[in-house]
Amino acid sequence: MEIVASGIRPTGNLHLGNYFGALKSFLKMQDEYKCFFFIADWHSLTTHPKPENLRRSVKTILSEYLACGIDPAKATIYVQSDVREVAELYLYLNMNAYLGELERVTTFKEKVRAQPDNVNAGLLTYPSLMASDVIIHRAVKVPVGKDQEQNMEMMRKFARRFNNIYNVEFFPEPQSFSLSEKAVKVPGLDGSGKMGKSEGNAIYLVDDEKTITKKVMSAVTDSGPTQPDSVKPEPIQNLFAMMEIVSTPDTYLYFNEQYNTCRIRYGDMKKQLAADINAFCAPVRDKINAISADEDYLEQVMRQGAAKASESAAATLKAVREIIGFKN
């Protein structure tokens, strides 16, 4: 069975964009591949989180992924810092990672612009830690977005470079992949773009009914169409795109017909959309709250995941040390 590895940044609650994007792919993958999903708490240190925030974020993300359907019996889900072998492989990869190539990585240059007072070595060597996370399990597939393709190319380069330096065919070169031909793009409700934390336009899975309704009712609209079958402006198209995801087909067709005949009442549409989003989120929210309150279960999942991931990582690192020339 092919091995898949992917990281999850502990950066706050999951929103609908996460759910219909990466998470839906994870749920499919755990039935078809040998999966390692890790919460990347070492990566988050590049922004200097406080200890209490880091611990809370890890448990929040773990609770939400479990509530949404990640099954520890099918996939290995673990906390990155619980698998110490990753750090050792990270060191070895850094010994053959060069300053020039690391400085040219687009995500590094973007972070330098965003946080000029905190340009640390972790930011610079992010690609080699990302590579270590994946090739420690000798994974061949990584579900990532297009924005990570340069880091994926660096990952393949580091795997290939290790093989070439030591004249072995040990590490596979992991490939980016998606289970679906077209990922579902969940729009924000602020008039443009996709839903995201940094954009401030997200509806979170843990949002209560009042919060969801308030967010949807404040969505950007216009004065309405003046001609039948007119093209929808982006803010209006975003509302319909969201409705297409969470509402019944009949509901979508009804409001689409209302728009095309210039009879649309956006207030009615937004009330219906808010109700449909609430209906979708309510059972997930209840599961998240129940799991996050069960500290014993979360600890059990983390221990189980750490044991499985460490077994895989230790086998790889044992071979790596022998290849390099260290005694085990």
Side-chain angles (χ1 to χ4, degrees):
M1 183 179 288
E2 289 185 308
I3 300 174
V4 171
S6 186
I8 305 161
R9 289 277 298 211
T11 54
N13 299 104
L14 293 175
H15 55 70
L16 288 173
N18 301 137
Y19 183 88
F20 288 104
L23 184 51
K24 293 290 281 186
S25 295
F26 286 1
L27 296 179
K28 292 180 182 179
M29 282 184 277
Q30 68 180 357
D31 291 322
E32 300 177 24
Y33 300 92
K34 183 177 182 180
C35 295
F36 292 90
F37 301 136
F38 61 91
I39 300 173
D41 54 344
W42 274 334
H43 281 290
S44 69
L45 295 179
T46 58
T47 55
H48 298 167
K50 294 181 179 179
E52 60 273 17
N53 293 339
L54 182 59
R55 287 190 290 268
R56 184 171 60 252
S57 294
V58 167
K59 290 196 173 182
T60 295
I61 288 296
L62 179 59
S63 299
E64 294 185 346
Y65 272 79
L66 293 172
C68 290
I70 295 296
D71 186 348
K74 295 179 180 180
T76 300
I77 183 166
Y78 63 98
V79 180
Q80 181 187 35
S81 60
D82 284 341
V83 182
R84 307 300 173 84
E85 291 85 356
V86 171
E88 186 173 343
L89 181 58
Y90 172 47
L91 182 148
Y92 298 148
L93 295 182
N94 276 336
M95 294 301 181
N96 295 302
Y98 304 115
L99 179 62
E101 64 187 357
L102 293 171
E103 287 180 328
R104 286 192 294 272
V105 174
T106 301
T107 51
F108 172 70
K109 291 188 285 188
E110 290 173 350
K111 289 291 186 180
V112 169
R113 287 192 291 270
Q115 51 184 73
D117 296 327
N118 182 23
V119 183
N120 54 68
L123 285 176
L124 181 67
T125 59
Y126 184 100
S128 51
L129 180 54
M130 183 177 175
S132 179
D133 289 321
V134 171
I135 68 175
I136 194 75
H137 301 299
R138 303 183 73 187
V140 297
K141 295 181 183 294
V142 185
V144 292
K146 290 184 178 180
D147 60 325
Q148 291 295 319
E149 190 51 46
Q150 189 178 26
N151 283 327
M152 284 299 303
E153 181 53 44
M154 296 289 286
M155 189 183 299
R156 290 188 284 271
K157 179 183 292 185
F158 293 144
R160 186 165 58 245
R161 185 174 290 163
F162 181 92
N163 292 342
N164 291 338
I165 288 174
Y166 297 105
N167 195 28
V168 293
E169 290 296 330
F170 183 70
F171 285 122
E173 296 183 26
Q175 302 299 313
S176 309
F177 90 118
S178 172
L179 287 178
S180 59
E181 293 183 3
K182 184 179 180 181
V184 175
K185 178 185 176 182
V186 179
L189 297 179
D190 57 348
S192 63
K194 67 177 182 179
M195 185 173 290
K197 296 182 181 73
S198 58
E199 289 80 4
N201 61 7
I203 294 176
Y204 296 97
L205 298 179
V206 294
D207 281 346
D208 59 30
E209 184 173 351
K210 183 177 179 181
T211 300
I212 290 174
T213 300
K214 182 178 179 180
K215 288 181 177 180
V216 175
M217 295 306 293
S218 64
V220 175
T221 55
D222 57 20
S223 58
T226 57
Q227 294 182 344
D229 300 316
S230 57
V231 176
K232 299 181 182 76
E234 185 175 13
I236 307 306
Q237 180 56 45
N238 285 352
L239 281 178
F240 277 94
M242 179 70 77
M243 183 165 273
E244 194 169 18
I245 293 169
V246 299
S247 304
T248 65
D250 287 347
T251 299
Y252 175 85
L253 289 173
Y254 170 78
F255 284 103
N256 194 49
E257 190 270 340
Q258 291 287 298
Y259 184 88
N260 289 333
T261 56
C262 302
R263 293 181 294 161
I264 188 77
R265 293 169 61 93
Y266 290 130
D268 293 342
M269 182 183 182
K270 289 196 281 189
K271 286 177 184 177
Q272 182 64 55
L273 180 58
D276 292 340
I277 293 175
N278 273 309
F280 174 83
C281 288
V284 179
R285 181 173 61 236
D286 291 344
K287 287 182 182 179
I288 291 171
N289 291 335
I291 291 175
S292 62
D294 192 342
E295 292 282 342
D296 291 340
Y297 175 63
L298 290 173
E299 291 293 339
Q300 175 190 333
V301 170
M302 287 191 284
R303 285 196 302 270
Q304 176 182 309
K308 290 182 179 180
S310 294
E311 181 180 5
S312 169
T316 299
L317 197 60
K318 181 177 185 295
V320 166
R321 290 175 64 86
E322 289 175 351
I323 290 169
I324 293 175
F326 295 116
K327 287 185 178 181
N328 279 296

